[in-house]
Amino acid sequence: GGGGGGGIVHRHTNNNNNNKSSGGGGSGGPPRSAYRQMLTSHQTWAMMLLWFSASLVYYGISLAASVLSHGIPLVASASLSALCEVPAALFSSYVLEHRSLGRRRSTWMLYALGGVCCVSLPLFPSAAAPVAAILGKFFITTAFDGIYVYATEVFSTEVRGAALGLCSSCARVGAIVAPQALAGLSTARVMQLFGG
């Protein structure tokens, strides 16, 4: 009887070793194949681009308050830029839960509206430029709030933490690029970049 018990333990040990060597869940983590699938999925790259562009436009418009404050004091322009985030958060929760829109449709609609506001900003009179900029930031902030929820639903549980970390890193790259774009391009070119 003792020899049979030893054989069972040995077989379990071999199975655990095989799982570990093949990248399985011997240590409780997700298999390597799950990470490979995540990195090669078009959804992952699309989500990374969404986070990068949202961060680029969000911080770009926030930092461009001095450039966009035509006809109104800088303090007023910066205050409006900050205050628009409150209704943006509320609007994001409403849009995400709207049954007729859904996550994907609401996301591309918000990005499209924010892009139109940014691209068309040079066409507005100087007095209306801050309004267009605030509207652009409102829509992109709403989208930015929404993709936090959207991303958690796109990725599976086993790779969700790594995927969100990857998307967040892309957003930080967008935040780094934003001031460089403002320093090297004209206002019209910057807004075309943000809208594109």
Side-chain angles (χ1 to χ4, degrees), residues 104-186:
R104 183 179 299 179
R105 185 179 298 177
S106 61
T107 299
W108 74 256
M109 284 178 60
L110 290 168
Y111 271 85
L113 289 170
V116 168
C117 290
C118 291
V119 170
S120 61
L121 189 142
L123 304 177
F124 282 87
S126 58
V131 177
I134 296 303
L135 283 175
K137 185 180 179 183
F138 171 81
F139 288 121
I140 205 66
T141 302
T142 305
F144 208 173
D145 293 340
I147 58 177
Y148 274 90
V149 178
Y150 190 15
T152 59
E153 297 174 351
V154 167
F155 301 109
S156 61
T157 305
E158 57 187 2
V159 297
R160 186 172 295 153
L164 288 177
L166 189 61
C167 291
S168 182
S169 298
C170 292
R172 301 290 78 81
V173 174
I176 293 170
V177 173
Q180 311 305 322
L182 290 173
L185 299 174
S186 64

Side-chain angles (χ1 to χ4, degrees), residues 33-51:
S33 59
Y35 289 113
R36 282 196 297 268
Q37 185 177 3
M38 178 195 73
L39 292 174
T40 56
S41 172
H42 70 278
Q43 289 183 328
T44 303
W45 290 94
M47 195 60 65
M48 289 165 58
L49 180 60
L50 288 176
W51 283 61

Side-chain angles (χ1 to χ4, degrees), residues 16-108:
N16 288 337
N17 289 335
N18 289 335
N19 287 338
K20 290 179 182 179
S21 63
S22 62
S27 60
R32 293 194 186 104
S33 59
Y35 289 113
R36 282 196 297 268
Q37 185 177 3
M38 178 195 73
L39 292 174
T40 56
S41 172
H42 70 278
Q43 289 183 328
T44 303
W45 290 94
M47 195 60 65
M48 289 165 58
L49 180 60
L50 288 176
W51 283 61
F52 170 82
S53 57
S55 181
L56 173 68
V57 178
Y58 174 84
Y59 287 104
I61 294 179
S62 299
L63 294 172
S66 60
V67 179
L68 301 173
S69 58
H70 297 290
I72 61 174
L74 175 59
V75 175
S77 177
S79 299
L80 288 173
S81 178
L83 288 173
C84 80
E85 297 187 24
V86 176
L90 298 175
F91 186 60
S92 177
S93 62
Y94 169 76
V95 169
L96 288 174
E97 295 301 326
H98 203 284
R99 292 185 178 181
S100 64
L101 293 176
R103 304 287 195 258
R104 183 179 299 179
R105 185 179 298 177
S106 61
T107 299
W108 74 256

